[in-house]
Amino acid sequence: MRKLSFVLTGILILTFTLFVCGGWAASPPSPEKVAELQQAINEAHKLKEKADDARARADEEAWDEARKTFQEEYAKAKTDEEKKDAAKKFSDDVDKFLEEKLKELDWENLKKAKDEAFQKIIEAVDEAYDIDTSNVKGEPTFDQDQSEEGLCWPDGRVKLGPAAFTSPGWLASVKKHEATHADQGAQGRWRMDNVGNADQEIEAYGHQIISADTVGLSDAERAEVQKRLHYYLEAKKAALKYEMELATGTMDNEVQEEELGKIIGKIEAVQELEKKGDEEGAISKKDDAIEELDELIKGAKGETKSTLETFKEHVEELKEAEIFVIKIDTIEDLRDARDAATATRAQKDEINKIIGKIKNLIDAEKKGDEEKALEIKKDALKEINELLKDAKGEVKDNLEKAKEKLEKLIRIETKITVTGKAEGVGKAPDGSTVILVHTKECSRYTVTCTPGTTVKAGQTVTVSGHTPEPGKIKATTVTTLASPLPERKKVKANHYYQGPGEPLPGTGVYGSFVITPDTTVAVKANGATSCFFIDEEGEKKEELDKKDNYFVGILKPGIVGVVTAGIIDAIFNPQEKLPPKSPGIKIDPYYDGITNEPAIIDIENVDIGRLEDYNLSVEDTATGQIIDYGSPDLFLADGKTGLATATYFPGDVPAGAKEFVFTDPEGNILHEQMTNVYKYSLSFSPSRVTKGMPVFGDVSISGMTGEERVQVYLSFDAVLEAEIITGELISSIPGEVIFSASADEINQNPTDFTFDTSRGLGQQQVIVVVVPVE
């Protein structure tokens, strides 16, 4: 269980949701140690029972004594005022008598002994099970009043409740779950939205099942964890569907509303297909939903576009979660086969090896090593087939289940890169459209396709196990693309080169650049091994030459762009002459550290032979440290005039930075540009949110002087009602409030606004944006 007590940077999405509480273990303790720990747990529960009984007895006796006193004094009262005094005294008497009774029963010492007993068990389990708690802040503490097994805070603090102390294995498993949440917080993966909440729980419960053997979970405990895992998978789908339904009415037009409604229908179809056990059909529906969201995103703007991009990300995450759960279920099928009464010692040993392979598979895919993951899946499948030759009864039934899941994983996850042309189109036995392709590494593969566009060389495709019926139909299908290439920099704008015939972007990553017939292009290599020009059709033209850490080439007629490491770096607009140059560095004078616009700098008499010696820097005013961004990412230089444009993407500029400085190879300052970089965050209290309890919000800003004014935009579920405490209210409508204040006012006030939750909590999603008033 994760307790939400956090500060978010930038545009925040906060969900007031608690998470039920991961890590990995080396080996289980000896049976003697387990028995010793179980005995300690039993003794601790006896102490708890004794302390609880003492408290209950004290409560009852204090109440009876206070009530008796009240009745006597109330009977003596002659006026209304005296009756009120008697009633008021009753409450005070309860507290007084309770304190006396607790002392008589030695409750404080009982409570202390009980808490110490549970705390010692927590420490002993860490040592016995070798639990990795490197990201847990301090030792987890026992909390008598915690109803769940555990709570984890974003900073890594952990509390464990009595429900965690049923067996040594269960306690170790709960601690592993909590450690997973602590890892999520330490790695910046702490999720607040309802869909994200479920995603984090799926990961944590999955790790509990993975480590079930190493902590010695019983069959009943394993079944409970698996039940919770599937519960959160269903919760993730339901939350996603609910999010989409809420957003339908916020689209820009009716066409978008209708299309989003169709995508919601696909999520419903996913749920139905999975109920029938058709995971492959469900994955296909998710792929369709992703493609359709891509189409919607192209025509959307502003908040609508942002909302749709979030939905696309959530559907992709759902697909990953589904595949992860299939792997976890495969492990459980194998364990059931191993633990069947008819399993022989040899079979148990072989099955344990296969379970180890599936764990290695999860690790390999987590690291992005798809080639190794495919090899592991094939090896595991081969070994299961060998075992099936002699298997019978429950052993055979469960091995068959594991085999079916592995075969699904191979069909769903295996990917290749198309390097040849589509050779034929036909129908697979299940009715899906397929094409036949060649690759350099392999002979022939059958690729399941979604109707749409033409498959091109360079695309990564999902491989199916079907055998097509070759036809004469032209290939007009495109596969589901695999995960995109890793970004080299945020500046790359995610426009990946897909090969000839693709529609090119209207502007490049760095914008559209005017060029002359004698323009030299220099692109920073950043580890890339090749770089080439493309024409208007996206066709690859000549390669650029490698010089030091740059690719350099002369633009020729017909060339409109340049591609490095599969990413389109820039689109050029050929003209006869360059427009007049404006001096200095062109960059937004005031930005929030998240926008991070490119810095475009004009240079006279550029030294093409010393490109790497130009440098952009900024001073971190908080520390006085100078941050160097090195040489530009892209140069465009006119060979006749010596005029050049240098483009940077400076990355995460520190809050409070005031000036960019650009120097030439000799260290001379060519240009300086004043700027103001600010950042903002949001926190809430209390961390446990319930209906009727006010919620206090605190915005904080860094990088601004105290007198500078900002406007704060709050967006939230309309069921909440906001009251502004800091600054001046500008506008207020259901679900949206705008107010203005100085940076000092916002930073000095511990509460900037409050939410009234008396009407309910709603979707519990809050977005904040801070904009400076210039």
Side-chain angles (χ1 to χ4, degrees):
M1 177 74 74
R2 306 191 313 174
K3 184 177 181 182
L4 296 187
S5 171
F6 50 84
V7 177
L8 308 177
T9 301
I11 298 177
L12 298 180
I13 300 178
L14 169 77
T15 305
F16 307 109
T17 307
L18 296 180
F19 299 75
V20 183
C21 312
W24 305 75
S27 59
S30 66
E32 293 78 16
K33 185 64 177 176
V34 172
E36 179 187 328
L37 287 169
Q38 185 65 61
Q39 179 64 25
I41 289 173
N42 296 341
E43 292 299 325
H45 277 291
K46 288 179 182 177
L47 287 172
K48 178 180 178 296
E49 186 178 348
K50 193 172 181 179
D52 290 348
D53 287 346
R55 177 63 193 238
R57 182 178 165 188
D59 281 338
E60 185 178 354
E61 291 181 2
W63 182 270
D64 287 343
E65 196 163 335
R67 182 171 54 188
K68 180 181 177 182
T69 303
F70 165 72
Q71 288 170 341
E72 291 173 354
E73 295 187 3
Y74 192 84
K76 296 176 185 176
K78 295 179 180 179
T79 65
D80 289 342
E81 195 63 33
E82 289 174 341
K83 290 179 180 179
K84 287 180 182 179
D85 288 344
K88 182 180 178 182
K89 186 173 180 295
F90 171 74
S91 179
D92 294 337
D93 282 346
V94 170
D95 293 337
K96 183 183 72 173
F97 293 143
L98 177 59
E99 186 177 350
E100 293 171 357
K101 297 295 180 183
L102 289 174
K103 284 181 180 178
E104 290 175 13
L105 296 169
D106 199 25
W107 181 78
E108 282 294 336
N109 285 329
L110 287 173
K111 178 179 179 295
K112 182 180 178 182
K114 174 257 301 179
D115 289 346
E116 288 177 351
F118 280 110
Q119 194 62 43
K120 285 179 181 177
I121 294 167
I122 292 173
E123 295 165 8
V125 164
D126 262 354
E127 183 181 346
Y129 288 87
D130 190 25
I131 299 172
D132 179 7
T133 57
S134 53
N135 287 320
V136 175
K137 188 176 182 180
E139 185 65 49
T141 56
F142 174 72
D143 182 1
Q144 161 75 34
D145 299 322
Q146 174 54 42
S147 59
E148 304 289 346
E149 281 104 341
L151 279 177
C152 183
W153 278 254
D155 63 2
R157 287 175 295 138
V158 170
K159 284 188 178 182
L160 300 174
F165 297 81
T166 56
S167 71
W170 183 250
L171 177 58
S173 187
V174 169
K175 291 188 75 174
K176 285 174 176 295
H177 186 124
E178 295 289 356
T180 297
H181 286 319
D183 293 343
Q184 291 161 353
Q187 295 162 11
R189 298 187 295 115
W190 191 274
R191 296 287 296 272
M192 281 66 67
D193 58 286
N194 289 336
V195 176
N197 291 354
D199 215 37
Q200 302 301 73
E201 294 303 334
I202 289 167
E203 179 184 357
Y205 282 116
H207 282 186
Q208 277 188 268
I209 290 178
I210 288 168
S211 61
D213 285 337
T214 60
V215 299
L217 288 187
S218 67
D219 290 348
E221 288 168 335
R222 272 173 35 204
E224 175 62 24
V225 176
Q226 194 173 25
K227 183 176 81 172
R228 296 185 189 184
L229 174 71
H230 281 269
Y231 166 81
Y232 278 104
L233 182 60
E234 293 308 309
K236 184 177 176 70
K237 296 170 203 166
L240 176 57
K241 181 170 169 284
Y242 177 66
E243 277 188 357
M244 288 182 171
E245 287 170 345
L246 284 178
T248 302
T250 67
M251 295 293 102
D252 295 333
N253 51 59
E254 291 183 2
V255 173
Q256 288 179 343
E257 289 181 17
E258 185 178 339
E259 290 302 316
L260 185 55
K262 291 178 182 177
I263 295 169
I264 292 170
K266 283 187 167 56
I267 301 301
E268 292 172 343
V270 164
Q271 292 172 305
E272 290 302 315
L273 286 166
E274 282 164 355
K275 284 179 185 176
K276 299 174 183 176
D278 185 0
E279 288 100 338
E280 285 176 273
I283 293 289
S284 177
K285 287 291 181 186
K286 294 187 194 81
D287 289 337
D288 290 347
I290 291 168
E291 288 180 14
E292 291 178 21
L293 281 165
D294 264 332
E295 288 301 313
L296 275 177
I297 289 167
K298 290 177 185 176
K301 297 177 181 178
E303 282 298 314
T304 299
K305 184 175 182 180
S306 176
T307 299
L308 291 171
E309 286 172 339
T310 299
F311 289 159
K312 179 190 172 187
E313 182 181 327
H314 284 177
V315 176
E316 288 169 339
E317 288 172 352
L318 178 58
K319 179 178 174 181
E320 291 173 9
E322 206 94 48
I323 292 170
F324 176 67
V325 171
I326 293 174
K327 291 165 190 166
I328 297 299
D329 287 348
T330 304
I331 290 174
E332 280 299 272
D333 288 340
L334 289 166
R335 283 191 180 129
D336 287 340
R338 178 199 65 192
D339 297 343
T342 53
T344 65
R345 181 71 261 172
Q347 286 174 327
K348 290 177 185 289
D349 290 343
E350 288 303 314
I351 292 171
N352 274 331
K353 290 178 184 177
I354 300 171
I355 291 172
K357 286 183 184 291
I358 306 301
K359 292 180 183 180
N360 291 337
L361 165 65
I362 293 171
D363 279 341
E365 291 182 333
K366 188 177 180 181
K367 296 172 184 174
D369 192 343
E370 293 184 2
E371 187 175 337
K372 181 178 179 181
L374 177 59
E375 182 183 344
I376 292 171
K377 278 180 276 195
K378 288 181 176 178
D379 284 348
L381 186 59
K382 181 179 178 182
E383 290 174 17
I384 289 175
N385 281 327
E386 283 298 314
L387 282 171
L388 279 168
K389 292 177 181 178
D390 300 319
K392 297 177 182 179
E394 286 184 69
V395 178
K396 181 178 181 181
D397 292 343
N398 287 300
L399 284 175
E400 290 282 7
K401 291 177 185 177
K403 175 185 175 180
E404 181 185 353
K405 290 181 176 66
L406 267 178
E407 288 174 338
K408 284 180 182 178
L409 288 172
I410 290 172
R411 290 196 295 270
I412 290 169
E413 291 189 296
T414 306
K415 298 177 180 69
I416 59 171
T417 299
V418 178
T419 56
K421 295 181 180 179
E423 290 198 345
V425 176
K427 290 290 181 182
D430 64 356
S432 61
T433 305
V434 296
I435 64 167
L436 198 62
V437 297
H438 279 299
T439 73
K440 289 179 181 177
E441 299 81 12
C442 319
S443 54
R444 289 172 181 257
Y445 277 102
T446 306
V447 183
T448 304
C449 302
T450 304
T453 55
T454 305
V455 174
K456 299 182 290 291
Q459 284 185 306
T460 302
V461 298
T462 302
V463 178
S464 162
H466 301 309
T467 302
E469 299 171 8
K472 297 181 180 180
I473 308 171
K474 183 181 179 182
T476 56
T477 54
V478 65
T479 64
T480 302
L481 294 181
S483 300
L485 297 171
E487 290 183 89
R488 293 203 332 250
K489 277 190 173 184
K490 292 179 183 176
V491 70
K492 296 310 175 190
N494 294 333
H495 194 91
Y496 297 96
Y497 177 69
Q498 297 293 333
E502 70 167 313
L504 298 178
T507 60
V509 172
Y510 304 110
S512 292
F513 297 93
V514 177
I515 61 173
T516 69
D518 192 21
T519 297
T520 296
V521 177
V523 182
K524 205 165 188 178
N526 288 323
T529 56
S530 67
C531 179
F532 56 86
F533 289 122
I534 54 174
D535 62 15
E536 290 183 353
E537 303 300 322
E539 290 279 357
K540 177 181 176 180
K541 295 300 180 181
E542 61 269 16
E543 297 268 352
L544 279 72
D545 295 328
K546 183 77 181 296
K547 294 182 180 179
D548 298 322
N549 193 33
Y550 280 89
F551 291 107
V552 181
I554 303 294
L555 287 178
K556 297 179 181 178
I559 291 174
V560 300
V562 62
V563 176
T564 314
I567 301 172
I568 299 177
D569 281 330
I571 297 294
F572 311 125
N573 298 323
Q575 288 188 10
E576 289 301 315
K577 60 180 181 179
L578 290 168
K581 291 279 179 179
S582 58
I585 303 171
K586 303 179 191 69
I587 190 167
D588 284 357
Y590 216 135
Y591 62 95
D592 64 9
I594 299 166
T595 306
N596 287 332
E597 295 296 328
I600 301 175
I601 306 165
D602 298 326
I603 312 171
E604 294 181 357
N605 302 315
V606 65
D607 188 344
I608 292 292
R610 300 182 64 184
L611 296 182
E612 290 194 70
D613 296 328
Y614 287 88
N615 185 66
L616 183 71
S617 64
V618 68
E619 181 178 356
D620 183 341
T621 52
T623 64
Q625 180 184 2
I626 302 297
I627 299 173
D628 290 318
Y629 297 104
S631 57
D633 293 296
L634 174 72
F635 275 102
L636 291 177
D638 187 313
K640 292 181 179 179
T641 65
L643 293 175
T645 299
T647 304
Y648 280 93
F649 189 80
D652 192 15
V653 181
K658 298 296 182 185
E659 183 180 31
F660 282 107
V661 177
F662 183 67
T663 55
D664 67 11
E666 305 301 328
N668 301 311
I669 296 177
L670 297 181
H671 295 295
E672 295 175 275
Q673 171 70 50
M674 300 303 293
T675 187
N676 290 284
V677 181
Y678 66 102
K679 297 183 181 180
Y680 51 89
S681 59
L682 178 65
S683 61
F684 286 87
S685 64
S687 55
R688 287 180 181 273
V689 179
T690 58
K691 182 178 178 181
M693 177 186 292
V695 178
F696 303 93
D698 182 32
V699 180
S700 55
I701 305 172
S702 57
M704 287 189 182
T705 58
E707 296 303 315
E708 292 179 271
R709 294 193 68 79
V710 297
Q711 285 189 359
V712 180
Y713 296 76
L714 285 175
S715 175
F716 46 89
D717 194 303
V719 74
L720 301 171
E721 292 185 5
E723 179 186 354
I724 301 305
I725 308 298
T726 301
E728 302 169 4
L729 179 65
I730 296 175
S731 71
S732 177
I733 60 175
E736 183 180 284
V737 165
I738 304 173
F739 65 95
S740 174
S742 71
D744 257 356
E745 287 177 305
I746 286 177
N747 287 333
Q748 291 173 8
N749 288 357
T751 299
D752 296 313
F753 63 91
T754 62
F755 282 135
D756 180 354
T757 64
S758 57
R759 292 195 297 148
L761 301 179
Q763 193 182 5
Q764 305 166 14
Q765 190 174 73
V766 179
I767 299 174
V768 63
V769 180
V770 176
V771 179
V773 179
E774 296 186 38

